[in-house]
């Protein structure tokens, strides 16, 4: 019996764009939501779900041709996919590889769930959350000190309680 050790790509390489790898299994669609990619933009997008990963067990992969993820988008992706790696591709080569880390401060992205927090009562107060713990994610409002977890962050970013913690 012959063993085929040749590895094959499930999806072809992209010429220019972004490959987001090591997304926790089941969160690729959430990453697309963060990037506001619905399919109507005309971008060529490949999504691979629930493939084996030595690093995280099972993972998702997203390839987006002709779009480079910017720093702000990467910071939000970090909150829902902390194990993700973002690769910027130009002329079929990886020119930049970003290993994401949960930012220490998140400003203006999340809303404080405390209805009495100043950020919910003063239009000039911008919500700021400090990361207390990256895994499992715990963040604290800089104004009222209420803490939120990964599920709270997922609900706010995705608008639904569908995702499970990593």
């Amino acid at each position: 019996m012959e063993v085929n050790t040749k590895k094959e790509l499930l999806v072809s390489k992209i010429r220019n764009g972004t490959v987001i790898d090591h997304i926790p299994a089941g969160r690729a669609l959430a990453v697309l939501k963060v990037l506001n990619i619905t399919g109507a933009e005309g971008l060529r997008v490949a999504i691979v779900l629930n493939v084996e990963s030595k690093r995280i067990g099972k993972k998702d992969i997203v390839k987006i041709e002709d779009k480079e993820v910017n720093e702000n988008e990467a910071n939000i992706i970090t909150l829902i996919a902390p194990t993700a790696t973002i690769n910027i591709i130009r002329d079929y080569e990886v020119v930049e590889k970003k290993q994401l880390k949960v930012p220490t401060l998140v400003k203006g992205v999340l809303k404080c769930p405390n209805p009495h927090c100043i950020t919910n009562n003063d239009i000039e107060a911008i919500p700021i959350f400090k990361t207390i713990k990256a895994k499992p994610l715990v963040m604290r409002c800089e104004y009222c000190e209420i803490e939120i977890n990964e599920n709270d962050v997922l609900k706010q970013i995705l608008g639904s309680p569908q995702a499970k913690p990593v």
Side-chain angles (χ1 to χ4, degrees), residues 13-20 35 43-44 62-70 86-98:
K13 290 183 173 184
I14 59 174
R15 181 181 189 129
N16 296 302
T18 304
V19 175
I20 306 170
L35 297 173
L43 296 170
R44 198 163 93 172
V62 172
K63 292 183 175 187
I64 310 161
E65 197 156 57
D66 296 328
K67 174 177 175 53
E68 291 188 9
V69 171
N70 66 39
I86 295 179
N87 300 298
I88 302 299
I89 311 295
R90 293 188 191 131
D91 204 21
Y92 298 105
E93 299 293 327
V94 176
V95 295
E96 187 179 349
K97 188 171 196 147
K98 299 176 191 174

Side-chain angles (χ1 to χ4, degrees), residues 20 22-39 41 45-50 59-64 76-77 80-81 154 157-160 162-163:
I20 306 170
H22 298 103
I23 300 167
R27 295 199 180 168
L29 298 177
V31 168
L32 291 179
K33 185 169 183 175
V34 166
L35 297 173
N36 291 318
I37 294 175
T38 62
E41 303 78 17
V45 178
I47 305 167
V48 181
L49 303 173
N50 297 309
K59 67 178 182 180
D60 293 349
I61 303 168
V62 172
K63 292 183 175 187
I64 310 161
I76 298 172
I77 290 170
I80 61 167
L154 287 167
I157 292 174
L158 304 176
S160 71
Q162 70 197 21

Side-chain angles (χ1 to χ4, degrees), residues 91-118:
D91 204 21
Y92 298 105
E93 299 293 327
V94 176
V95 295
E96 187 179 349
K97 188 171 196 147
K98 299 176 191 174
Q99 180 69 46
L100 300 181
K101 290 184 180 176
V102 175
T104 54
L105 282 179
V106 175
K107 189 175 180 182
V109 173
L110 301 170
K111 183 179 177 192
C112 183
N114 177 1
H116 303 294
C117 180
I118 191 169

